[in-house]
Amino acid sequence: MSFNKTQSERVSSPDGARLLYIRGTKEKNLLLLGIAEEGETARYTVSEAVYRSIGSPLRGDSITPEALTDIRDFDEGYRARKYALSLLALADNNERGLAQKLVRRGFPHERATEVAREMVSLGYIDEERQLERLILAEACGKLSGPSKIIPKLLSKGYQSSLVRATLSSLCERGEIDFKKNAKALLEKLGAADLPREEKKKILYKHGYRIC
């Protein structure tokens, strides 16, 4: 963002966009700008810092293309963060999944990736905690084996190394015992008394690799 332009340089484009109004918002340090662009009115949310950086234009002042770029950049980031937070309030999302949803919403890939990474750094996305819950649900709830659990989680966008590390940690802590789960699965399916080869086929289908 540029800070080295004077006010007269930043608002002296007679043929460019023009500021129609400036309004406060419910959020601290944010302003809503109404700008006339090519016969239409666009609304942008900017910080007070951005407003000052473009020369603090007044109603009726022209806005240079450079200033308009700064305004649009902040507004896009603000809207992307706001949408990301609304998604996270509804359900857990991993970093990759959140970025994909932002792209589908219409945000550029670079912006979507940046915002998703920011949500992780702020602690709004905790993939390890998410994985622990998902793995336990698959292993102890559905009695699925590791060869079924891992691909399923990878398809959701979780990193292979984190999935395997989390699964290993749960097993080491005794929260998952796949041998017991395999036995419970066979009993649940009424297959406990079937010949060994038949049981192996059933277990293989549910993600257990037994020799």
Side-chain angles (χ1 to χ4, degrees), residues 65-100:
E66 184 181 8
L68 190 57
T69 295
D70 290 347
I71 291 169
R72 287 172 172 168
D73 181 69
F74 184 91
D75 178 77
E76 181 182 83
Y78 169 78
R79 289 185 294 103
R81 292 180 184 88
K82 190 172 183 178
Y83 185 61
L85 289 171
S86 71
L87 291 174
L88 293 171
L90 294 173
D92 282 336
N93 286 266
N94 57 45
E95 182 179 348
R96 179 182 171 188
L98 180 62
Q100 290 174 338

Side-chain angles (χ1 to χ4, degrees), residues 143-166:
L143 300 176
S144 297
S147 296
K148 187 172 183 179
I149 294 173
I150 293 173
K152 185 172 183 177
L153 294 177
L154 296 183
S155 71
K156 292 179 180 292
Y158 291 100
Q159 295 183 358
S160 176
S161 58
L162 184 57
V163 171
R164 295 175 188 280
T166 304

Side-chain angles (χ1 to χ4, degrees), residues 194-204 210-211:
L194 291 178
R196 176 178 171 79
E197 289 304 313
E198 291 298 316
K199 289 192 288 188
K200 284 176 59 177
K201 290 179 182 179
I202 292 173
L203 291 174
Y204 185 89
I210 298 177
C211 299

Side-chain angles (χ1 to χ4, degrees), residues 95 114-125:
E95 182 179 348
E114 170 195 314
V115 170
R117 188 176 300 119
E118 182 180 346
M119 294 299 107
V120 173
S121 67
L122 291 173
Y124 294 126
I125 296 177

Side-chain angles (χ1 to χ4, degrees), residues 3-196:
F3 290 86
N4 61 345
K5 298 291 185 179
T6 66
Q7 178 170 339
S8 61
E9 288 175 317
R10 298 302 295 269
V11 297
S12 60
S13 178
D15 299 323
R18 187 173 297 277
L19 183 63
L20 297 178
Y21 60 78
I22 312 166
R23 298 173 184 168
T25 70
K26 295 180 180 179
E27 298 179 69
K28 187 178 180 181
N29 300 324
L30 293 180
L31 299 170
L32 184 64
L33 305 184
I35 298 178
E37 304 174 46
E38 300 179 352
E40 297 184 358
T41 300
R43 291 157 42 108
Y44 298 105
T45 299
V46 299
S47 66
E48 292 179 354
V50 169
Y51 178 68
R52 289 192 297 270
S53 79
I54 65 173
S56 302
L58 302 176
R59 180 180 177 183
D61 284 340
S62 295
I63 307 297
T64 66
E66 184 181 8
L68 190 57
T69 295
D70 290 347
I71 291 169
R72 287 172 172 168
D73 181 69
F74 184 91
D75 178 77
E76 181 182 83
Y78 169 78
R79 289 185 294 103
R81 292 180 184 88
K82 190 172 183 178
Y83 185 61
L85 289 171
S86 71
L87 291 174
L88 293 171
L90 294 173
D92 282 336
N93 286 266
N94 57 45
E95 182 179 348
R96 179 182 171 188
L98 180 62
Q100 290 174 338
K101 289 180 181 179
L102 288 169
V103 170
R104 289 198 293 269
R105 181 72 171 186
F107 293 103
H109 182 270
E110 183 177 355
R111 176 71 73 183
T113 301
E114 170 195 314
V115 170
R117 188 176 300 119
E118 182 180 346
M119 294 299 107
V120 173
S121 67
L122 291 173
Y124 294 126
I125 296 177
D126 186 340
E127 293 194 352
E128 185 174 352
R129 177 181 59 80
Q130 293 176 15
L131 281 171
E132 285 189 352
R133 188 178 67 256
L134 292 171
I135 291 172
L136 286 170
E138 289 291 328
C140 301
K142 298 181 181 179
L143 300 176
S144 297
S147 296
K148 187 172 183 179
I149 294 173
I150 293 173
K152 185 172 183 177
L153 294 177
L154 296 183
S155 71
K156 292 179 180 292
Y158 291 100
Q159 295 183 358
S160 176
S161 58
L162 184 57
V163 171
R164 295 175 188 280
T166 304
L167 180 60
S168 178
S169 176
L170 289 170
C171 290
E172 290 174 359
R173 282 160 23 201
E175 295 187 51
I176 297 176
D177 185 331
F178 282 115
K179 288 185 177 180
K180 289 184 178 180
N181 287 358
K183 183 178 179 180
L185 176 64
L186 291 173
E187 292 176 350
K188 179 181 178 180
L189 298 176
D193 296 325
L194 291 178
R196 176 178 171 79

